[in-house]
Amino acid sequence: MTASQHPDLTRRLNDFLPDFNHWLKLERGLSANTVDGYTRDLHHLTEFLEDEEPAAEVTTDMLHAFLASLHDLGLAPSSQARVVAALRSFFRYLVDEQVIATDPTTLLESPKVGRMLPDVLTVEEIDAMIAAIPPEKEESPRNHAIIEMLYGSGLRVSELCDLRISRIAPQEGLAIIEGKGSKQRIVPISPEALQRIDQYLPLRPMPKPGADDILFLNRRGARLTRVMVFLIVKQLAEMAGITKRVSPHTLRHSFATHLLEGGANLRAIQQMLGHESIATTEIYVHLDTTHLRRQLLEHHPHYRNATP
């Protein structure tokens, strides 16, 4: 490719998919099924990044966040491995075409079959992440509330990003969460999380149009992206000296594991996580939230000193 043919480095990932598909078929000789699978995987990536990042600015951390989100959705390790293969092929293609200078997939690892569960953080490690939050920074109350919501309520990162102020009931210590498939459930919120939210709200930036009711905003007043939450969590883990690979899903998984190890009822944990075994919105609406709150008060480390 000559300099005059060099592509615009501001172009989005989606812009390169048609040519990439032709390259897979003609240069790599892959089957139609494989090409279709790679295309679907890459469309999922652009959806995850909300088509905001130019191809030249996609980082390894962003790809790790994407793969962590697939894990959170319960994608089988074999399917996750195919996604990694699609990412590697695509970004190597972009390097060959001189769209990007370095390949962000170099450090990606394919998941091992049979090792589906992520690392679990100890209570001490989670407390160390919270202690690592710099108290003097304006975004610190927001980031503290984010950690408390992920670990104290077991939210998915997408649920956290979409959390609405109007759906939080502070007096009851509850929030209505919209999960996968637009299914709603009620989750308890810890007193510590509510306190941090109260500290954050006066500092919350002026919302952009359409973001008035969104709780967690970036400095420009837009809804936080899943990638940004991943980076916040990853940075705090590094600042706390944690060597495990930590993502927002690690906190969700730690929430469930600590409850289970503490003796909480498995059914209650499934309800709080919003697993597919709870099928309808009506079940959430009529849930005995007193029972769920009791499970947290008795078995979750960050609820034990709260008043029932």
Side-chain angles (χ1 to χ4, degrees):
M1 178 177 292
T2 65
S4 62
Q5 294 173 315
H6 200 285
D8 180 359
L9 297 184
T10 65
R11 290 172 67 191
R12 310 297 181 186
L13 293 177
N14 270 329
D15 297 336
F16 297 100
L17 290 184
D19 287 341
F20 174 63
N21 286 347
H22 289 305
W23 179 79
L24 289 175
K25 294 174 183 176
L26 298 178
E27 299 291 332
R28 296 273 310 274
L30 298 183
S31 69
N33 285 340
T34 300
V35 173
D36 288 344
Y38 279 15
T39 300
R40 284 194 301 271
D41 294 335
L42 293 168
H43 276 307
H44 289 320
L45 172 64
T46 61
E47 289 171 357
F48 178 81
L49 296 176
E50 300 177 3
D51 204 27
E52 293 182 356
E53 300 297 334
E57 296 181 14
V58 175
T59 65
T60 302
D61 280 343
M62 291 176 184
L63 298 181
H64 276 144
F66 171 58
L67 293 173
S69 74
L70 297 180
H71 179 96
D72 193 12
L73 292 172
L75 197 67
S78 58
S79 297
Q80 292 181 49
R82 187 203 63 224
V83 174
V84 172
L87 296 177
R88 285 174 175 160
S89 292
F90 182 55
F91 284 97
R92 285 170 185 168
Y93 164 79
L94 294 182
V95 169
D96 290 343
E97 292 297 306
Q98 301 178 27
V99 176
I100 58 178
T102 57
D103 183 355
T105 68
T106 302
L107 299 178
L108 290 186
E109 296 180 1
S110 294
K112 295 180 180 178
V113 176
R115 296 187 61 186
M116 185 69 174
L117 295 179
D119 286 327
V120 178
L121 296 176
T122 65
V123 178
E124 291 74 21
E125 286 173 329
I126 291 169
D127 289 341
M129 287 177 61
I130 292 171
I133 299 173
E136 72 280 1
K137 290 193 174 181
E138 186 175 341
E139 66 270 19
S140 291
R142 180 202 67 187
N143 293 351
H144 196 153
I146 285 173
I147 300 299
E148 290 289 352
M149 290 300 298
L150 290 170
Y151 174 59
S153 298
L155 300 187
R156 299 179 176 93
V157 64
S158 57
E159 296 168 348
L160 179 98
C161 293
D162 290 335
L163 185 59
R164 312 283 167 150
I165 298 173
S166 62
R167 294 186 175 183
I168 297 174
Q171 295 301 319
E172 292 79 12
L174 300 171
I176 298 174
I177 302 298
E178 187 164 304
K180 292 191 295 182
S182 298
K183 295 175 183 176
Q184 292 183 342
R185 71 183 187 279
I186 297 173
V187 301
I189 304 178
S190 72
E192 182 69 19
L194 289 171
Q195 179 183 345
R196 295 298 170 177
I197 290 171
D198 284 342
Q199 293 174 355
Y200 161 62
L201 284 174
L203 305 173
R204 183 170 167 266
M206 181 68 67
K208 286 191 172 183
D212 299 61
D213 198 29
I214 298 293
L215 176 59
F216 294 118
L217 303 177
N218 63 23
R219 293 179 182 179
R220 299 182 300 278
R223 181 178 72 92
L224 276 184
T225 65
R226 289 169 286 188
V227 169
M228 190 62 205
V229 176
F230 176 91
L231 294 176
I232 290 169
V233 171
K234 181 175 182 290
Q235 182 181 44
L236 288 176
E238 291 175 348
M239 292 169 64
I242 298 170
T243 57
K244 300 171 183 175
R245 180 176 292 179
V246 179
S247 73
H249 182 68
T250 312
L251 295 172
R252 173 174 159 89
H253 184 60
S254 300
F255 162 84
T257 301
H258 292 171
L259 281 175
L260 192 61
E261 290 177 346
N265 179 272
L266 183 59
R267 177 65 176 170
I269 296 173
Q270 290 176 330
Q271 291 171 343
M272 284 183 274
L273 290 175
H275 283 168
E276 291 184 2
S277 58
I278 301 174
T280 63
T281 301
E282 287 76 15
I283 293 177
Y284 298 125
V285 172
H286 296 98
L287 211 56
D288 181 0
T289 54
T290 302
H291 170 65
L292 294 187
R293 184 161 179 78
R294 187 181 304 114
Q295 292 291 311
L296 283 166
L297 291 172
E298 293 177 357
H299 305 295
H300 191 289
H302 282 201
Y303 285 78
R304 284 175 184 156
N305 295 325
T307 302

